[in-house]
């Protein structure tokens, strides 16, 4: 079978190499929210362990709850019945395969009823408790203990909050995910890192970059993936994919990154994969390009916000890696939530004493970064150009061309034309463009 472990490792290696500097192997910060969604998507032990922990907590509190009252016999009976039903259903996941599901809508309905019952019963017993104290004294010991019913209510509430957190349950049942986010927010880095961790753990994973698919002369993404894996037709690829999914105790995770970079491909044709049991599918797309997935409602969407709410941890990690002096006060500029900006900032000012350039915005940072990389390029090509030459004579010319043509993108062909028009670098045009793609243009 062409999709064995060795083939998966080779595919991962090619994807990592093609990702270039978009995949930073030296610095990796865990984005916990996205990771939890991926764990739910693939029914990984970490997600199930957290779910079972909360389930057993509710089971324990139900066992400890022994309070009764003749006026609430039916309510108490209903509470025990509903809670036991929810617990039994959740624990049944231990024996289910990766293809079997439970009815989450019915389960959450029963759980909500149990939560309301436990809350109502708590206040009923609390009123009785207050009345008993009024007959004695304010803080006197009473015969009614409201602790167990309150503990049960809290446990059930925590369980419901976990189940209702985002789209994790949807991913658990229907493993199709769209990861969206701004440019440079870290989607490629996260997915490459996730694919690496899964393959290193022996979990079947295939990862593709959309520009790899675009290199194949076909608009069907399944055909493109098949050819990249060495198949002559998609039929053999789909057959082996089904076989792998059927034989694996883990879900087979198929990842396609940056589909917005291959908008000629008909991404709706990924639906050919939807009926393969035991297969999870992750596709990433830049914000604003979601419409290239016509059947996107058949996926659950998760947004990547970069280092939002963990900016200081990110800055600390990056500054330490680049041997930069930490700022005396936390940097709160929103740009530092973007992993690409933070990396460019650190590479631009690496090794300098003063790392806080007051009044310097993103344009200044990028200009400084280009100057630093220009020195590396000049040395590599053995040409004599100043550190500002590429910024003034290539990057700015690219910007002018994009402005004149009212577009936010430019082809390699047109960049080459700009480079070839400059006498100092024209003879190194192809090599220069490759180095620029590697060191400057992400």
């Amino acid at each position: 079978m062409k999709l064995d472990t060795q083939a998966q490792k080779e595919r991962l290696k090619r994807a990592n190499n093609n990702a270039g500097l978009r995949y930073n192997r030296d610095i990796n910060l865990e984005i916990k929210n996205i990771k939890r969604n991926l764990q739910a998507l693939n029914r990984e032990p970490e997600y199930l362990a957290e779910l079972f922990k909360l389930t057993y907590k509710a089971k324990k509190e139900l066992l400890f709850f022994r309070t009764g009252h003749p006026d609430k016999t039916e309510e108490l009976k209903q509470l025990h019945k509903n809670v036991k039903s929810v617990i039994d259903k959740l624990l049944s996941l231990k024996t289910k395969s990766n293809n079997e599901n439970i009815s989450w809508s019915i389960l959450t309905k029963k759980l909500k009823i149990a939560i309301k019952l436990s809350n109502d019963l708590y206040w009923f017993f609390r009123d009785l408790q207050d009345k008993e104290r009024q007959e004695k004294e304010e803080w006197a010991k009473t015969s009614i203990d409201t602790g167990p019913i309150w503990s049960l209510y809290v446990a059930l509430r925590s369980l419901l909050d976990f189940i209702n957190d985002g789209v994790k349950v949807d991913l658990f049942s229907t493993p199709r995910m769209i990861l969206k986010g701004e440019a440079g927010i870290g989607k490629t880095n996260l997915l490459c890192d996730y694919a690496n961790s899964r393959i290193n753990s022996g979990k079947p994973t295939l990862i593709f970059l959309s520009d790899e698919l675009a290199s194949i002369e076909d608009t069907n993404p399944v055909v493109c993936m098949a050819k990249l894996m060495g198949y002559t037709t998609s039929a053999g690829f789909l057959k082996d994919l089904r076989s792998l999914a059927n034989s694996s105790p883990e879900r087979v995770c198929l990842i396609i990154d940056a589909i917005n970079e291959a908008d000629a491909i008909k991404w709706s044709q990924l639906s050919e994969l939807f009926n393969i049991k035991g297969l999870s599918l992750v596709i990433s797309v830049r914000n604003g390009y979601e419409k290239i997935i016509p059947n996107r409602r058949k996926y659950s969407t998760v947004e990547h916000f970069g280092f939002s709410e963990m900016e200081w941890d990110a800055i600390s990690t990056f500054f330490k890696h680049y041997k930069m002096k930490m700022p005396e006060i936390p940097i709160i500029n929103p740009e530092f939530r973007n992993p690409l900006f933070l990396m460019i900032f650190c590479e631009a000012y690496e090794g300098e004493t003063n790392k806080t350039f007051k009044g310097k915005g993103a344009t200044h940072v990028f200009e400084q970064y280009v100057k630093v990389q220009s020195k590396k390029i000049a040395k590599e090509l053995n040409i004599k150009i100043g550190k500002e030459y590429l910024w003034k004579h290539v990057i700015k010319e690219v910007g002018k061309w994009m402005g004149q043509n009212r577009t936010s993108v430019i082809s390699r062909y047109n960049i080459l034309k700009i480079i070839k028009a400059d006498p100092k670098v024209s003879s190194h045009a192809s090599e220069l463009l490759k180095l620029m793609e590697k060191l400057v243009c992400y």
Side-chain angles (χ1 to χ4, degrees):
M1 185 170 66
K2 292 182 181 179
L3 301 181
D4 59 14
T5 304
Q6 186 57 37
Q8 294 169 39
K9 288 181 178 179
E10 289 173 2
R11 169 96 295 273
L12 173 67
K13 184 179 180 181
R14 288 196 293 272
N16 286 345
N17 289 338
N18 287 327
L21 295 180
R22 287 182 293 172
Y23 179 36
N24 189 329
R25 296 165 178 79
D26 298 323
I27 308 174
N28 250 319
L29 288 165
E30 185 178 284
I31 311 296
K32 291 182 179 179
N33 177 52
I34 310 257
K35 187 173 182 180
R36 290 193 187 104
N37 279 287
L38 290 167
Q39 288 170 347
L41 174 92
N42 287 304
R43 296 194 180 186
E44 292 178 356
E46 294 85 350
Y47 178 80
L48 289 168
E50 201 168 348
L51 178 62
F52 291 147
K53 180 181 177 182
L54 293 168
T55 303
Y56 278 116
K57 174 67 175 173
K59 185 177 182 179
K60 175 185 172 184
E61 297 303 340
L62 182 65
L63 290 172
F64 284 156
F65 177 54
R66 291 284 182 267
T67 309
H69 194 278
D71 293 344
K72 295 293 179 181
T73 302
E74 284 303 314
E75 288 91 335
L76 288 163
K77 184 179 177 181
Q78 186 66 32
L79 175 62
H80 277 268
K81 181 182 176 181
N82 275 27
V83 175
K84 186 177 184 305
S85 175
V86 168
I87 289 169
D88 289 347
K89 187 62 70 175
L90 288 173
L91 293 181
S92 74
L93 289 171
K94 284 189 167 187
T95 57
K96 289 186 182 294
S97 72
N98 283 330
N99 305 326
E100 294 178 287
N101 285 316
I102 60 175
S103 177
W104 291 98
S105 58
I106 294 174
L107 185 142
T108 52
K109 184 177 179 181
K110 288 183 178 180
L111 187 51
K112 286 176 181 178
I113 292 170
I115 288 170
K116 186 178 185 308
L117 282 169
S118 61
N119 186 56
D120 292 345
L121 285 166
Y122 167 77
W123 288 109
F124 173 78
F125 289 119
R126 177 70 183 269
D127 288 341
L128 292 179
Q129 192 180 61
D130 290 343
K131 288 175 183 177
E132 189 175 332
R133 280 181 175 147
Q134 285 174 7
E135 293 172 3
K136 298 178 180 179
E137 56 183 82
E138 189 175 358
W139 299 109
K141 191 173 182 179
T142 70
S143 59
I144 299 168
D145 186 2
T146 58
I149 185 65
W150 178 253
S151 295
L152 178 60
Y153 166 78
V154 171
L156 295 175
R157 183 78 251 179
S158 297
L159 185 56
L160 181 64
D161 289 344
F162 180 82
I163 291 171
N164 283 344
D165 182 20
V167 294
K168 295 181 183 68
V169 165
D170 296 328
L171 291 168
F172 188 92
S173 300
T174 306
R176 295 192 289 269
M177 173 176 159
I178 294 172
L179 178 64
K180 57 176 282 188
E182 298 173 2
I185 209 69
K187 301 182 293 298
T188 300
N189 197 86
L190 185 146
L191 292 177
C192 285
D193 191 52
Y194 182 64
N196 270 284
S197 67
R198 276 183 60 86
I199 288 179
N200 288 338
S201 301
K203 298 174 182 178
T205 308
L206 291 169
I207 181 169
F208 301 86
L209 305 186
S210 65
D211 55 0
E212 294 179 302
L213 273 64
S215 68
I216 305 296
E217 292 184 359
D218 204 294
T219 59
N220 185 328
V222 179
V223 172
C224 295
M225 288 186 286
K227 290 186 175 180
L228 285 170
M229 294 304 298
Y231 294 85
T232 54
T233 65
S234 62
F237 174 65
L238 290 171
K239 181 183 177 182
D240 283 356
L241 201 55
R242 283 192 180 90
S243 178
L244 180 62
N246 288 335
S247 62
S248 174
E250 306 278 350
R251 277 181 171 169
V252 177
C253 187
L254 195 154
I255 301 167
I256 307 174
D257 180 53
I259 65 168
N260 50 279
E261 295 179 6
D263 55 3
I265 288 179
K266 295 177 181 177
W267 295 108
S268 60
Q269 291 183 300
L270 285 173
S271 58
E272 292 181 49
L273 306 172
F274 290 0
N275 65 350
I276 300 179
K277 293 182 177 180
L279 175 73
S280 66
L281 177 62
V282 184
I283 57 178
S284 74
V285 63
R286 186 181 297 178
N287 284 354
Y289 289 83
E290 296 89 346
K291 288 184 179 179
I292 66 173
I293 316 164
N295 56 350
R296 57 191 174 279
R297 290 185 179 180
K298 294 188 177 181
Y299 295 77
S300 296
T301 300
V302 176
E303 185 159 4
H304 192 334
F305 294 102
F307 295 141
S308 179
E309 297 183 7
M310 56 179 290
E311 294 95 325
W312 188 244
D313 286 341
I315 290 168
S316 301
T317 302
F318 272 76
F319 277 39
K320 183 178 180 180
H321 177 79
Y322 285 97
K323 297 179 173 60
M324 295 167 66
K325 181 182 177 183
M326 285 294 294
E328 295 178 1
I329 57 173
I331 297 174
I332 59 173
N333 304 54
E335 292 90 351
F336 285 88
R337 298 173 187 171
N338 186 298
L340 179 57
F341 177 86
L342 183 54
M343 185 179 74
I344 287 175
F345 181 90
C346 290
E347 291 196 1
Y349 300 124
E350 182 179 10
E352 295 187 23
T353 306
N354 178 15
K355 300 303 181 297
T356 54
F357 294 81
K358 296 181 180 179
K360 305 297 185 182
T363 302
H364 177 273
V365 172
F366 184 61
E367 182 180 349
Q368 178 69 13
Y369 173 75
V370 170
K371 290 175 183 177
V372 170
Q373 300 303 333
S374 293
K375 291 169 69 176
K376 296 179 182 178
I377 291 172
K379 184 178 179 181
E380 181 80 18
L381 297 178
N382 194 27
I383 53 176
K384 294 182 179 180
I385 54 172
K387 65 178 183 178
E388 296 185 1
Y389 195 86
L390 285 183
W391 175 258
K392 290 181 177 179
H393 298 274
V394 178
I395 301 297
K396 283 192 173 183
E397 290 302 315
V398 167
K400 286 180 185 178
W401 186 95
M402 291 166 70
Q404 290 165 358
N405 290 274
R406 298 183 180 182
T407 180
S408 60
V409 294
I410 182 171
S411 66
R412 296 179 86 255
Y413 172 77
N414 284 311
I415 296 178
L416 272 172
K417 281 181 66 177
I418 291 170
I419 296 172
K420 287 178 179 179
D422 187 280
K424 282 196 175 182
V425 293
S426 59
S427 59
H428 301 277
S430 297
E431 296 88 345
L432 176 57
L433 180 55
K434 287 179 182 177
L435 285 171
M436 285 179 63
E437 287 176 330
K438 181 181 178 181
L439 297 172
V440 177
C441 305
Y442 293 89

Tab-separated table of all heavy atoms in Angstrom, residues 331-362:
chain	number	residue	atom	x	y	z
A	331	ILE	N	4.922	44.721	25.786
A	331	ILE	CA	4.533	45.303	24.508
A	331	ILE	C	3.074	44.936	24.250
A	331	ILE	O	2.696	43.769	24.309
A	331	ILE	CB	5.419	44.761	23.371
A	331	ILE	CG1	6.880	45.180	23.595
A	331	ILE	CG2	4.927	45.241	22.021
A	331	ILE	CD1	7.844	44.573	22.610
A	332	ILE	N	2.245	45.925	23.968
A	332	ILE	CA	0.826	45.646	23.774
A	332	ILE	C	0.376	45.909	22.341
A	332	ILE	O	-0.811	45.823	22.034
A	332	ILE	CB	-0.046	46.471	24.750
A	332	ILE	CG1	0.206	47.979	24.550
A	332	ILE	CG2	0.202	46.058	26.179
A	332	ILE	CD1	-0.732	48.872	25.349
A	333	ASN	N	1.329	46.228	21.453
A	333	ASN	CA	0.963	46.457	20.052
A	333	ASN	C	0.262	45.231	19.493
A	333	ASN	O	0.771	44.113	19.618
A	333	ASN	CB	2.220	46.734	19.214
A	333	ASN	CG	3.022	47.901	19.761
A	333	ASN	OD1	3.376	47.888	20.929
A	333	ASN	ND2	3.300	48.862	18.919
A	334	PRO	N	-0.909	45.400	18.856
A	334	PRO	CA	-1.649	44.236	18.338
A	334	PRO	C	-0.886	43.451	17.289
A	334	PRO	O	-1.142	42.262	17.102
A	334	PRO	CB	-2.925	44.865	17.749
A	334	PRO	CG	-2.590	46.311	17.526
A	334	PRO	CD	-1.616	46.661	18.602
A	335	GLU	N	0.087	44.090	16.592
A	335	GLU	CA	0.863	43.378	15.576
A	335	GLU	C	1.596	42.166	16.158
A	335	GLU	O	1.853	41.193	15.472
A	335	GLU	CB	1.893	44.307	14.919
A	335	GLU	CG	1.296	45.411	14.067
A	335	GLU	CD	1.022	46.680	14.865
A	335	GLU	OE1	1.139	46.632	16.102
A	335	GLU	OE2	0.689	47.696	14.243
A	336	PHE	N	1.949	42.243	17.454
A	336	PHE	CA	2.737	41.174	18.059
A	336	PHE	C	1.911	39.916	18.322
A	336	PHE	O	2.444	38.903	18.763
A	336	PHE	CB	3.412	41.668	19.348
A	336	PHE	CG	4.588	42.564	19.067
A	336	PHE	CD1	4.411	43.925	18.913
A	336	PHE	CD2	5.851	42.042	18.913
A	336	PHE	CE1	5.483	44.765	18.632
A	336	PHE	CE2	6.936	42.857	18.638
A	336	PHE	CZ	6.746	44.227	18.485
A	337	ARG	N	0.611	39.981	18.053
A	337	ARG	CA	-0.204	38.771	18.115
A	337	ARG	C	-0.003	37.924	16.863
A	337	ARG	O	-0.376	36.760	16.843
A	337	ARG	CB	-1.697	39.139	18.234
A	337	ARG	CG	-2.029	39.917	19.487
A	337	ARG	CD	-3.475	40.388	19.461
A	337	ARG	NE	-3.751	41.278	20.578
A	337	ARG	CZ	-4.871	41.985	20.716
A	337	ARG	NH1	-5.813	41.891	19.794
A	337	ARG	NH2	-5.047	42.764	21.755
A	338	ASN	N	0.557	38.540	15.824
A	338	ASN	CA	0.766	37.852	14.559
A	338	ASN	C	2.146	37.192	14.561
A	338	ASN	O	3.164	37.881	14.614
A	338	ASN	CB	0.651	38.852	13.405
A	338	ASN	CG	0.710	38.180	12.048
A	338	ASN	OD1	1.701	37.569	11.691
A	338	ASN	ND2	-0.367	38.306	11.294
A	339	PRO	N	2.212	35.859	14.517
A	339	PRO	CA	3.509	35.166	14.577
A	339	PRO	C	4.491	35.599	13.494
A	339	PRO	O	5.692	35.715	13.761
A	339	PRO	CB	3.117	33.691	14.409
A	339	PRO	CG	1.709	33.619	14.902
A	339	PRO	CD	1.081	34.913	14.493
A	340	LEU	N	3.999	35.831	12.274
A	340	LEU	CA	4.896	36.237	11.191
A	340	LEU	C	5.515	37.599	11.469
A	340	LEU	O	6.710	37.805	11.282
A	340	LEU	CB	4.141	36.259	9.860
A	340	LEU	CG	4.952	36.681	8.626
A	340	LEU	CD1	6.171	35.789	8.444
A	340	LEU	CD2	4.083	36.677	7.382
A	341	PHE	N	4.685	38.551	11.948
A	341	PHE	CA	5.208	39.879	12.269
A	341	PHE	C	6.253	39.782	13.377
A	341	PHE	O	7.308	40.416	13.317
A	341	PHE	CB	4.082	40.818	12.701
A	341	PHE	CG	4.567	42.183	13.110
A	341	PHE	CD1	4.755	43.190	12.169
A	341	PHE	CD2	4.880	42.461	14.441
A	341	PHE	CE1	5.233	44.433	12.537
A	341	PHE	CE2	5.357	43.708	14.822
A	341	PHE	CZ	5.524	44.696	13.860
A	342	LEU	N	5.961	38.983	14.389
A	342	LEU	CA	6.890	38.857	15.522
A	342	LEU	C	8.220	38.275	15.057
A	342	LEU	O	9.293	38.738	15.476
A	342	LEU	CB	6.263	37.978	16.609
A	342	LEU	CG	7.064	37.790	17.898
A	342	LEU	CD1	7.457	39.125	18.516
A	342	LEU	CD2	6.273	36.957	18.902
A	343	MET	N	8.175	37.287	14.170
A	343	MET	CA	9.418	36.703	13.664
A	343	MET	C	10.192	37.718	12.822
A	343	MET	O	11.421	37.849	12.956
A	343	MET	CB	9.117	35.460	12.825
A	343	MET	CG	10.387	34.734	12.378
A	343	MET	SD	10.058	33.247	11.425
A	343	MET	CE	9.552	33.951	9.864
A	344	ILE	N	9.484	38.453	11.950
A	344	ILE	CA	10.141	39.474	11.128
A	344	ILE	C	10.770	40.541	12.013
A	344	ILE	O	11.892	40.985	11.786
A	344	ILE	CB	9.123	40.098	10.146
A	344	ILE	CG1	8.803	39.093	9.034
A	344	ILE	CG2	9.664	41.395	9.539
A	344	ILE	CD1	7.712	39.549	8.084
A	345	PHE	N	10.043	40.956	13.054
A	345	PHE	CA	10.552	41.971	13.988
A	345	PHE	C	11.853	41.491	14.622
A	345	PHE	O	12.855	42.224	14.661
A	345	PHE	CB	9.502	42.246	15.064
A	345	PHE	CG	9.911	43.285	16.069
A	345	PHE	CD1	9.631	44.629	15.857
A	345	PHE	CD2	10.575	42.922	17.234
A	345	PHE	CE1	10.005	45.583	16.784
A	345	PHE	CE2	10.955	43.873	18.167
A	345	PHE	CZ	10.667	45.214	17.938
A	346	CYS	N	11.839	40.246	15.115
A	346	CYS	CA	13.017	39.724	15.813
A	346	CYS	C	14.196	39.534	14.860
A	346	CYS	O	15.341	39.830	15.216
A	346	CYS	CB	12.676	38.400	16.506
A	346	CYS	SG	11.564	38.596	17.903
A	347	GLU	N	13.938	39.055	13.641
A	347	GLU	CA	15.036	38.879	12.681
A	347	GLU	C	15.575	40.220	12.195
A	347	GLU	O	16.753	40.338	11.865
A	347	GLU	CB	14.553	38.019	11.503
A	347	GLU	CG	14.299	36.577	11.910
A	347	GLU	CD	14.208	35.638	10.726
A	347	GLU	OE1	14.372	36.101	9.579
A	347	GLU	OE2	13.988	34.441	10.957
A	348	ALA	N	14.700	41.229	12.166
A	348	ALA	CA	15.141	42.557	11.730
A	348	ALA	C	16.048	43.212	12.762
A	348	ALA	O	17.005	43.905	12.406
A	348	ALA	CB	13.928	43.448	11.473
A	349	TYR	N	15.775	43.013	14.041
A	349	TYR	CA	16.511	43.712	15.095
A	349	TYR	C	17.366	42.783	15.953
A	349	TYR	O	17.800	43.162	17.038
A	349	TYR	CB	15.531	44.486	15.980
A	349	TYR	CG	14.739	45.521	15.213
A	349	TYR	CD1	13.352	45.513	15.213
A	349	TYR	CD2	15.388	46.495	14.454
A	349	TYR	CE1	12.623	46.455	14.498
A	349	TYR	CE2	14.681	47.434	13.738
A	349	TYR	CZ	13.298	47.415	13.763
A	349	TYR	OH	12.592	48.354	13.040
A	350	GLU	N	17.593	41.565	15.478
A	350	GLU	CA	18.400	40.606	16.228
A	350	GLU	C	19.793	41.166	16.508
A	350	GLU	O	20.458	41.701	15.628
A	350	GLU	CB	18.536	39.313	15.411
A	350	GLU	CG	19.326	38.228	16.123
A	350	GLU	CD	19.415	36.954	15.295
A	350	GLU	OE1	19.024	37.004	14.104
A	350	GLU	OE2	19.868	35.939	15.831
A	351	GLY	N	20.205	41.054	17.762
A	351	GLY	CA	21.557	41.454	18.129
A	351	GLY	C	21.732	42.921	18.468
A	351	GLY	O	22.799	43.327	18.912
A	352	GLU	N	20.678	43.741	18.309
A	352	GLU	CA	20.803	45.163	18.646
A	352	GLU	C	20.455	45.381	20.117
A	352	GLU	O	19.652	44.661	20.693
A	352	GLU	CB	19.883	46.006	17.753
A	352	GLU	CG	20.274	45.948	16.279
A	352	GLU	CD	19.476	46.915	15.432
A	352	GLU	OE1	18.965	47.897	15.993
A	352	GLU	OE2	19.365	46.681	14.226
A	353	THR	N	21.058	46.403	20.710
A	353	THR	CA	20.855	46.659	22.138
A	353	THR	C	19.465	47.207	22.424
A	353	THR	O	18.773	46.759	23.331
A	353	THR	CB	21.913	47.663	22.666
A	353	THR	OG1	23.202	47.173	22.335
A	353	THR	CG2	21.778	47.821	24.164
A	354	ASN	N	19.064	48.208	21.650
A	354	ASN	CA	17.754	48.830	21.861
A	354	ASN	C	16.739	48.162	20.950
A	354	ASN	O	16.784	48.286	19.739
A	354	ASN	CB	17.819	50.323	21.543
A	354	ASN	CG	16.463	50.990	21.717
A	354	ASN	OD1	15.566	50.414	22.323
A	354	ASN	ND2	16.321	52.178	21.182
A	355	LYS	N	15.800	47.449	21.555
A	355	LYS	CA	14.831	46.696	20.755
A	355	LYS	C	13.475	47.386	20.671
A	355	LYS	O	12.585	46.893	20.039
A	355	LYS	CB	14.625	45.298	21.357
A	355	LYS	CG	15.900	44.475	21.407
A	355	LYS	CD	16.521	44.320	20.042
A	355	LYS	CE	17.761	43.496	20.048
A	355	LYS	NZ	18.828	44.059	20.821
A	356	THR	N	13.323	48.509	21.357
A	356	THR	CA	12.040	49.209	21.300
A	356	THR	C	12.208	50.449	20.448
A	356	THR	O	12.787	51.440	20.875
A	356	THR	CB	11.570	49.597	22.722
A	356	THR	OG1	12.602	50.346	23.364
A	356	THR	CG2	11.248	48.363	23.529
A	357	PHE	N	11.700	50.409	19.230
A	357	PHE	CA	11.839	51.506	18.279
A	357	PHE	C	10.565	52.330	18.301
A	357	PHE	O	9.621	52.056	17.563
A	357	PHE	CB	12.135	50.953	16.889
A	357	PHE	CG	13.465	50.267	16.823
A	357	PHE	CD1	13.599	48.963	17.263
A	357	PHE	CD2	14.574	50.938	16.351
A	357	PHE	CE1	14.833	48.326	17.209
A	357	PHE	CE2	15.808	50.314	16.291
A	357	PHE	CZ	15.932	49.009	16.732
A	358	LYS	N	10.511	53.288	19.182
A	358	LYS	CA	9.295	54.070	19.379
A	358	LYS	C	8.921	54.834	18.117
A	358	LYS	O	9.760	55.432	17.459
A	358	LYS	CB	9.485	55.045	20.543
A	358	LYS	CG	9.696	54.319	21.873
A	358	LYS	CD	9.857	55.307	23.007
A	358	LYS	CE	10.061	54.588	24.329
A	358	LYS	NZ	10.238	55.526	25.443
A	359	GLY	N	7.641	54.775	17.806
A	359	GLY	CA	7.123	55.496	16.656
A	359	GLY	C	7.362	54.795	15.338
A	359	GLY	O	7.058	55.319	14.295
A	360	LYS	N	7.925	53.586	15.387
A	360	LYS	CA	8.196	52.833	14.164
A	360	LYS	C	7.093	51.792	13.976
A	360	LYS	O	6.899	50.932	14.817
A	360	LYS	CB	9.560	52.127	14.249
A	360	LYS	CG	10.714	53.058	14.571
A	360	LYS	CD	10.920	54.119	13.486
A	360	LYS	CE	12.152	54.970	13.772
A	360	LYS	NZ	12.329	56.020	12.779
A	361	GLY	N	6.391	51.875	12.878
A	361	GLY	CA	5.298	50.962	12.620
A	361	GLY	C	5.738	49.745	11.836
A	361	GLY	O	6.927	49.483	11.637
A	362	ALA	N	4.734	48.999	11.336
A	362	ALA	CA	4.993	47.746	10.636
A	362	ALA	C	5.837	47.960	9.384
A	362	ALA	O	6.690	47.136	9.052
A	362	ALA	CB	3.671	47.077	10.287
